[in-house]
Amino acid sequence: MLIVAYPILSSIIRSLTDRQTKGFTFDNYTYFFTRPLEIRNILFTLGVVVVTVVLAMVFAYLLALYLRFSKSKISRLIGGLYLIPRFIPGLVAIYAMMIIIRDSGVINRISQLFGYNFKPGLMYNEKGLIIMNLWFNIPFAALIITSGLSAIPDSIIEGARDVGAGRWRTFIHMILPLSIKDVFVSATFVFMANVGSFTTPFLIMGASSPKMLGIALFEQFNIYMDYEKTSALSVIMFLICSVSAAVYIYTNLKEKEWEK
């Protein structure tokens, strides 16, 4: 109640307070849905987050399938390496990636050895931000999905093949239904983590516009010191995240339904 409920309630009350008169107002919310720049920030954040979630789930699921059903030496090697990003501090990883992808970075220098001057163009735009998000989130999502796939007994898959089901039918009718819940769970965590992210977009995007909501929140609080608008933006971000939270709760409550 003290560390979760009270701060949320306090933010809601302050978001409905006029900065000058201290009276009740919806102006703090109106500000974010009427100003073109703020609308672009919201749409930009949602676009980046949705693309990150979709791509992360696709690659994470394929990786998890490979790690679960492949017995090769390469799969064992990847199984020991894919979790490394989870143990590297975020700032270290971001700066390392910046050294590689910036226009004067490692990729550009390698291209110059072959007579080219290739500039990736991945800094200060959403492409570099999404790539960095995937670097962080694919291992995390794959960890959850792999755990779910590992819980599927081999006997179920062997039984399906014994009655003539091919790989595709086994996947569609057996593996996917039994693992889809874990996909939704990992997607909710990736979604919520990226809606309010600050470090990655701040370093990759810089001061360019539009901004992720985490940076916009930072500016309202630290630069403009408008705590009422900061509270309103916090509530907006909370409502956006509550959508994925609802999906998370639904998938857990319907666990038996997924199995059916």
mmCIF file of all heavy atoms in Angstrom, residues 88-123:
data_model
loop_
_atom_site.group_PDB
_atom_site.id
_atom_site.type_symbol
_atom_site.label_atom_id
_atom_site.label_comp_id
_atom_site.label_asym_id
_atom_site.label_seq_id
_atom_site.Cartn_x
_atom_site.Cartn_y
_atom_site.Cartn_z
ATOM 1 N N ILE A 88 24.813 -8.077 -18.556
ATOM 2 C CA ILE A 88 25.644 -6.925 -18.913
ATOM 3 C C ILE A 88 24.897 -5.656 -18.520
ATOM 4 O O ILE A 88 23.741 -5.467 -18.905
ATOM 5 C CB ILE A 88 25.952 -6.909 -20.421
ATOM 6 C CG1 ILE A 88 26.758 -8.153 -20.800
ATOM 7 C CG2 ILE A 88 26.716 -5.651 -20.805
ATOM 8 C CD1 ILE A 88 27.093 -8.238 -22.267
ATOM 9 N N PRO A 89 25.533 -4.770 -17.742
ATOM 10 C CA PRO A 89 24.859 -3.521 -17.347
ATOM 11 C C PRO A 89 24.360 -2.754 -18.570
ATOM 12 O O PRO A 89 25.025 -2.700 -19.609
ATOM 13 C CB PRO A 89 25.964 -2.751 -16.612
ATOM 14 C CG PRO A 89 26.890 -3.809 -16.114
ATOM 15 C CD PRO A 89 26.867 -4.894 -17.153
ATOM 16 N N GLY A 90 23.184 -2.152 -18.443
ATOM 17 C CA GLY A 90 22.560 -1.480 -19.574
ATOM 18 C C GLY A 90 23.422 -0.406 -20.201
ATOM 19 O O GLY A 90 23.544 -0.325 -21.430
ATOM 20 N N LEU A 91 24.039 0.441 -19.369
ATOM 21 C CA LEU A 91 24.870 1.513 -19.907
ATOM 22 C C LEU A 91 26.046 0.965 -20.701
ATOM 23 O O LEU A 91 26.398 1.484 -21.763
ATOM 24 C CB LEU A 91 25.383 2.395 -18.763
ATOM 25 C CG LEU A 91 24.390 3.395 -18.171
ATOM 26 C CD1 LEU A 91 24.993 4.075 -16.948
ATOM 27 C CD2 LEU A 91 23.986 4.433 -19.201
ATOM 28 N N VAL A 92 26.658 -0.097 -20.195
ATOM 29 C CA VAL A 92 27.789 -0.709 -20.891
ATOM 30 C C VAL A 92 27.355 -1.236 -22.247
ATOM 31 O O VAL A 92 28.024 -1.019 -23.264
ATOM 32 C CB VAL A 92 28.395 -1.842 -20.039
ATOM 33 C CG1 VAL A 92 29.508 -2.555 -20.804
ATOM 34 C CG2 VAL A 92 28.926 -1.298 -18.718
ATOM 35 N N ALA A 93 26.219 -1.926 -22.270
ATOM 36 C CA ALA A 93 25.725 -2.496 -23.518
ATOM 37 C C ALA A 93 25.385 -1.418 -24.540
ATOM 38 O O ALA A 93 25.706 -1.544 -25.722
ATOM 39 C CB ALA A 93 24.498 -3.362 -23.233
ATOM 40 N N ILE A 94 24.735 -0.358 -24.082
ATOM 41 C CA ILE A 94 24.320 0.709 -25.004
ATOM 42 C C ILE A 94 25.525 1.411 -25.602
ATOM 43 O O ILE A 94 25.597 1.637 -26.816
ATOM 44 C CB ILE A 94 23.408 1.706 -24.283
ATOM 45 C CG1 ILE A 94 22.098 1.031 -23.875
ATOM 46 C CG2 ILE A 94 23.094 2.898 -25.194
ATOM 47 C CD1 ILE A 94 21.248 1.856 -22.941
ATOM 48 N N TYR A 95 26.502 1.757 -24.754
ATOM 49 C CA TYR A 95 27.695 2.420 -25.273
ATOM 50 C C TYR A 95 28.478 1.506 -26.212
ATOM 51 O O TYR A 95 29.042 1.959 -27.216
ATOM 52 C CB TYR A 95 28.576 2.893 -24.124
ATOM 53 C CG TYR A 95 28.154 4.216 -23.549
ATOM 54 C CD1 TYR A 95 27.738 4.341 -22.224
ATOM 55 C CD2 TYR A 95 28.154 5.366 -24.341
ATOM 56 C CE1 TYR A 95 27.339 5.556 -21.700
ATOM 57 C CE2 TYR A 95 27.758 6.589 -23.829
ATOM 58 C CZ TYR A 95 27.352 6.679 -22.506
ATOM 59 O OH TYR A 95 26.951 7.892 -21.995
ATOM 60 N N ALA A 96 28.511 0.210 -25.908
ATOM 61 C CA ALA A 96 29.187 -0.735 -26.793
ATOM 62 C C ALA A 96 28.496 -0.777 -28.152
ATOM 63 O O ALA A 96 29.153 -0.784 -29.204
ATOM 64 C CB ALA A 96 29.207 -2.119 -26.155
ATOM 65 N N MET A 97 27.157 -0.796 -28.138
ATOM 66 C CA MET A 97 26.403 -0.813 -29.391
ATOM 67 C C MET A 97 26.590 0.491 -30.163
ATOM 68 O O MET A 97 26.711 0.486 -31.396
ATOM 69 C CB MET A 97 24.917 -1.047 -29.103
ATOM 70 C CG MET A 97 24.049 -1.157 -30.346
ATOM 71 S SD MET A 97 24.422 -2.596 -31.353
ATOM 72 C CE MET A 97 23.639 -3.894 -30.385
ATOM 73 N N MET A 98 26.651 1.608 -29.446
ATOM 74 C CA MET A 98 26.846 2.893 -30.108
ATOM 75 C C MET A 98 28.182 2.938 -30.824
ATOM 76 O O MET A 98 28.305 3.504 -31.921
ATOM 77 C CB MET A 98 26.742 4.022 -29.081
ATOM 78 C CG MET A 98 25.332 4.255 -28.560
ATOM 79 S SD MET A 98 25.265 5.373 -27.128
ATOM 80 C CE MET A 98 25.925 6.884 -27.837
ATOM 81 N N ILE A 99 29.210 2.347 -30.226
ATOM 82 C CA ILE A 99 30.530 2.308 -30.863
ATOM 83 C C ILE A 99 30.473 1.542 -32.180
ATOM 84 O O ILE A 99 31.195 1.848 -33.132
ATOM 85 C CB ILE A 99 31.559 1.668 -29.901
ATOM 86 C CG1 ILE A 99 31.800 2.603 -28.708
ATOM 87 C CG2 ILE A 99 32.877 1.386 -30.611
ATOM 88 C CD1 ILE A 99 32.672 1.991 -27.635
ATOM 89 N N ILE A 100 29.582 0.567 -32.248
ATOM 90 C CA ILE A 100 29.481 -0.263 -33.445
ATOM 91 C C ILE A 100 28.611 0.370 -34.518
ATOM 92 O O ILE A 100 28.975 0.414 -35.696
ATOM 93 C CB ILE A 100 28.927 -1.655 -33.076
ATOM 94 C CG1 ILE A 100 29.912 -2.380 -32.156
ATOM 95 C CG2 ILE A 100 28.654 -2.496 -34.324
ATOM 96 C CD1 ILE A 100 29.397 -3.682 -31.596
ATOM 97 N N ILE A 101 27.439 0.900 -34.141
ATOM 98 C CA ILE A 101 26.443 1.284 -35.145
ATOM 99 C C ILE A 101 26.485 2.756 -35.554
ATOM 100 O O ILE A 101 25.862 3.130 -36.544
ATOM 101 C CB ILE A 101 25.018 0.956 -34.655
ATOM 102 C CG1 ILE A 101 24.650 1.834 -33.448
ATOM 103 C CG2 ILE A 101 24.880 -0.515 -34.322
ATOM 104 C CD1 ILE A 101 23.203 1.665 -32.985
ATOM 105 N N ARG A 102 27.191 3.597 -34.794
ATOM 106 C CA ARG A 102 27.196 5.004 -35.204
ATOM 107 C C ARG A 102 27.927 5.151 -36.532
ATOM 108 O O ARG A 102 28.712 4.285 -36.940
ATOM 109 C CB ARG A 102 27.844 5.861 -34.129
ATOM 110 C CG ARG A 102 29.301 5.573 -33.862
ATOM 111 C CD ARG A 102 29.795 6.399 -32.703
ATOM 112 N NE ARG A 102 31.213 6.156 -32.443
ATOM 113 C CZ ARG A 102 31.874 6.664 -31.397
ATOM 114 N NH1 ARG A 102 31.225 7.447 -30.533
ATOM 115 N NH2 ARG A 102 33.151 6.399 -31.230
ATOM 116 N N ASP A 103 27.692 6.265 -37.213
ATOM 117 C CA ASP A 103 28.204 6.432 -38.581
ATOM 118 C C ASP A 103 29.718 6.400 -38.669
ATOM 119 O O ASP A 103 30.269 6.132 -39.741
ATOM 120 C CB ASP A 103 27.675 7.749 -39.163
ATOM 121 C CG ASP A 103 26.193 7.662 -39.486
ATOM 122 O OD1 ASP A 103 25.647 6.547 -39.450
ATOM 123 O OD2 ASP A 103 25.586 8.708 -39.757
ATOM 124 N N SER A 104 30.408 6.690 -37.584
ATOM 125 C CA SER A 104 31.876 6.616 -37.580
ATOM 126 C C SER A 104 32.364 5.447 -36.732
ATOM 127 O O SER A 104 33.508 5.431 -36.283
ATOM 128 C CB SER A 104 32.465 7.928 -37.029
ATOM 129 O OG SER A 104 32.006 8.170 -35.699
ATOM 130 N N GLY A 105 31.498 4.454 -36.533
ATOM 131 C CA GLY A 105 31.811 3.335 -35.664
ATOM 132 C C GLY A 105 32.522 2.195 -36.361
ATOM 133 O O GLY A 105 33.099 2.340 -37.445
ATOM 134 N N VAL A 106 32.450 1.040 -35.720
ATOM 135 C CA VAL A 106 33.184 -0.136 -36.187
ATOM 136 C C VAL A 106 32.735 -0.563 -37.576
ATOM 137 O O VAL A 106 33.563 -0.877 -38.442
ATOM 138 C CB VAL A 106 32.999 -1.292 -35.179
ATOM 139 C CG1 VAL A 106 33.632 -2.578 -35.718
ATOM 140 C CG2 VAL A 106 33.600 -0.926 -33.830
ATOM 141 N N ILE A 107 31.413 -0.567 -37.814
ATOM 142 C CA ILE A 107 30.918 -0.985 -39.128
ATOM 143 C C ILE A 107 31.450 -0.073 -40.222
ATOM 144 O O ILE A 107 31.871 -0.539 -41.295
ATOM 145 C CB ILE A 107 29.371 -0.993 -39.129
ATOM 146 C CG1 ILE A 107 28.839 -2.038 -38.149
ATOM 147 C CG2 ILE A 107 28.829 -1.251 -40.535
ATOM 148 C CD1 ILE A 107 27.332 -2.062 -38.023
ATOM 149 N N ASN A 108 31.436 1.226 -39.967
ATOM 150 C CA ASN A 108 31.953 2.179 -40.950
ATOM 151 C C ASN A 108 33.439 1.968 -41.203
ATOM 152 O O ASN A 108 33.905 2.015 -42.353
ATOM 153 C CB ASN A 108 31.688 3.602 -40.470
ATOM 154 C CG ASN A 108 32.252 4.652 -41.400
ATOM 155 O OD1 ASN A 108 33.327 5.200 -41.161
ATOM 156 N ND2 ASN A 108 31.532 4.947 -42.483
ATOM 157 N N ARG A 109 34.203 1.704 -40.160
ATOM 158 C CA ARG A 109 35.653 1.529 -40.319
ATOM 159 C C ARG A 109 35.983 0.251 -41.071
ATOM 160 O O ARG A 109 36.924 0.213 -41.869
ATOM 161 C CB ARG A 109 36.319 1.531 -38.945
ATOM 162 C CG ARG A 109 36.201 2.876 -38.232
ATOM 163 C CD ARG A 109 36.856 2.862 -36.870
ATOM 164 N NE ARG A 109 36.676 4.144 -36.188
ATOM 165 C CZ ARG A 109 37.149 4.417 -34.983
ATOM 166 N NH1 ARG A 109 37.825 3.494 -34.321
ATOM 167 N NH2 ARG A 109 36.944 5.603 -34.440
ATOM 168 N N ILE A 110 35.201 -0.800 -40.832
ATOM 169 C CA ILE A 110 35.412 -2.040 -41.573
ATOM 170 C C ILE A 110 35.100 -1.830 -43.050
ATOM 171 O O ILE A 110 35.829 -2.319 -43.931
ATOM 172 C CB ILE A 110 34.552 -3.168 -40.981
ATOM 173 C CG1 ILE A 110 35.038 -3.532 -39.578
ATOM 174 C CG2 ILE A 110 34.583 -4.400 -41.886
ATOM 175 C CD1 ILE A 110 34.185 -4.563 -38.878
ATOM 176 N N SER A 111 34.025 -1.089 -43.340
ATOM 177 C CA SER A 111 33.671 -0.838 -44.741
ATOM 178 C C SER A 111 34.750 -0.038 -45.453
ATOM 179 O O SER A 111 34.994 -0.236 -46.650
ATOM 180 C CB SER A 111 32.329 -0.103 -44.817
ATOM 181 O OG SER A 111 32.446 1.241 -44.361
ATOM 182 N N GLN A 112 35.423 0.852 -44.721
ATOM 183 C CA GLN A 112 36.484 1.646 -45.329
ATOM 184 C C GLN A 112 37.686 0.791 -45.741
ATOM 185 O O GLN A 112 38.417 1.139 -46.669
ATOM 186 C CB GLN A 112 36.926 2.753 -44.372
ATOM 187 C CG GLN A 112 35.876 3.838 -44.163
ATOM 188 C CD GLN A 112 36.333 4.935 -43.221
ATOM 189 O OE1 GLN A 112 37.511 5.042 -42.901
ATOM 190 N NE2 GLN A 112 35.394 5.759 -42.767
ATOM 191 N N LEU A 113 37.882 -0.319 -45.053
ATOM 192 C CA LEU A 113 38.967 -1.232 -45.430
ATOM 193 C C LEU A 113 38.750 -1.822 -46.811
ATOM 194 O O LEU A 113 39.710 -2.231 -47.477
ATOM 195 C CB LEU A 113 39.095 -2.346 -44.394
ATOM 196 C CG LEU A 113 39.502 -1.927 -42.966
ATOM 197 C CD1 LEU A 113 39.500 -3.132 -42.041
ATOM 198 C CD2 LEU A 113 40.876 -1.264 -42.972
ATOM 199 N N PHE A 114 37.493 -1.866 -47.256
ATOM 200 C CA PHE A 114 37.154 -2.426 -48.559
ATOM 201 C C PHE A 114 36.802 -1.340 -49.571
ATOM 202 O O PHE A 114 36.218 -1.609 -50.615
ATOM 203 C CB PHE A 114 35.978 -3.402 -48.421
ATOM 204 C CG PHE A 114 36.286 -4.593 -47.555
ATOM 205 C CD1 PHE A 114 35.990 -4.570 -46.199
ATOM 206 C CD2 PHE A 114 36.911 -5.720 -48.091
ATOM 207 C CE1 PHE A 114 36.269 -5.668 -45.390
ATOM 208 C CE2 PHE A 114 37.192 -6.815 -47.289
ATOM 209 C CZ PHE A 114 36.885 -6.791 -45.936
ATOM 210 N N GLY A 115 37.165 -0.098 -49.244
ATOM 211 C CA GLY A 115 36.977 1.000 -50.170
ATOM 212 C C GLY A 115 35.604 1.640 -50.137
ATOM 213 O O GLY A 115 35.264 2.419 -51.031
ATOM 214 N N TYR A 116 34.789 1.325 -49.135
ATOM 215 C CA TYR A 116 33.456 1.915 -49.013
ATOM 216 C C TYR A 116 33.427 2.870 -47.818
ATOM 217 O O TYR A 116 34.357 2.918 -47.022
ATOM 218 C CB TYR A 116 32.395 0.824 -48.838
ATOM 219 C CG TYR A 116 32.295 -0.122 -50.012
ATOM 220 C CD1 TYR A 116 32.966 -1.344 -49.986
ATOM 221 C CD2 TYR A 116 31.543 0.195 -51.141
ATOM 222 C CE1 TYR A 116 32.889 -2.222 -51.060
ATOM 223 C CE2 TYR A 116 31.455 -0.677 -52.210
ATOM 224 C CZ TYR A 116 32.142 -1.883 -52.166
ATOM 225 O OH TYR A 116 32.056 -2.757 -53.233
ATOM 226 N N ASN A 117 32.358 3.617 -47.736
ATOM 227 C CA ASN A 117 32.156 4.507 -46.589
ATOM 228 C C ASN A 117 30.712 4.336 -46.108
ATOM 229 O O ASN A 117 29.904 5.256 -46.146
ATOM 230 C CB ASN A 117 32.439 5.962 -46.978
ATOM 231 C CG ASN A 117 32.413 6.885 -45.764
ATOM 232 O OD1 ASN A 117 32.678 6.469 -44.629
ATOM 233 N ND2 ASN A 117 32.083 8.138 -45.988
ATOM 234 N N PHE A 118 30.417 3.104 -45.657
ATOM 235 C CA PHE A 118 29.056 2.755 -45.278
ATOM 236 C C PHE A 118 28.705 3.365 -43.924
ATOM 237 O O PHE A 118 29.407 3.175 -42.942
ATOM 238 C CB PHE A 118 28.902 1.234 -45.204
ATOM 239 C CG PHE A 118 27.544 0.798 -44.727
ATOM 240 C CD1 PHE A 118 26.427 0.964 -45.532
ATOM 241 C CD2 PHE A 118 27.392 0.234 -43.464
ATOM 242 C CE1 PHE A 118 25.180 0.564 -45.094
ATOM 243 C CE2 PHE A 118 26.142 -0.168 -43.019
ATOM 244 C CZ PHE A 118 25.034 -0.007 -43.842
ATOM 245 N N LYS A 119 27.605 4.104 -43.905
ATOM 246 C CA LYS A 119 27.119 4.718 -42.668
ATOM 247 C C LYS A 119 25.783 4.067 -42.318
ATOM 248 O O LYS A 119 24.803 4.235 -43.049
ATOM 249 C CB LYS A 119 26.955 6.228 -42.845
ATOM 250 C CG LYS A 119 28.265 6.954 -43.164
ATOM 251 C CD LYS A 119 28.049 8.456 -43.274
ATOM 252 C CE LYS A 119 29.332 9.185 -43.662
ATOM 253 N NZ LYS A 119 30.377 9.036 -42.629
ATOM 254 N N PRO A 120 25.721 3.319 -41.209
ATOM 255 C CA PRO A 120 24.495 2.583 -40.864
ATOM 256 C C PRO A 120 23.272 3.473 -40.670
ATOM 257 O O PRO A 120 22.148 3.056 -40.949
ATOM 258 C CB PRO A 120 24.867 1.875 -39.553
ATOM 259 C CG PRO A 120 26.362 1.817 -39.562
ATOM 260 C CD PRO A 120 26.818 3.055 -40.267
ATOM 261 N N GLY A 121 23.462 4.697 -40.180
ATOM 262 C CA GLY A 121 22.332 5.588 -39.953
ATOM 263 C C GLY A 121 21.370 5.073 -38.895
ATOM 264 O O GLY A 121 20.156 5.195 -39.033
ATOM 265 N N LEU A 122 21.920 4.493 -37.832
ATOM 266 C CA LEU A 122 21.091 3.901 -36.787
ATOM 267 C C LEU A 122 21.086 4.695 -35.489
ATOM 268 O O LEU A 122 20.518 4.254 -34.496
ATOM 269 C CB LEU A 122 21.571 2.465 -36.495
ATOM 270 C CG LEU A 122 21.448 1.475 -37.659
ATOM 271 C CD1 LEU A 122 22.046 0.133 -37.286
ATOM 272 C CD2 LEU A 122 19.984 1.317 -38.068
ATOM 273 N N MET A 123 21.722 5.856 -35.507
ATOM 274 C CA MET A 123 21.708 6.710 -34.324
ATOM 275 C C MET A 123 20.680 7.825 -34.499
ATOM 276 O O MET A 123 20.445 8.303 -35.604
ATOM 277 C CB MET A 123 23.087 7.312 -34.082
ATOM 278 C CG MET A 123 24.144 6.300 -33.607
ATOM 279 S SD MET A 123 23.813 5.650 -31.957
ATOM 280 C CE MET A 123 23.980 7.134 -30.971
#
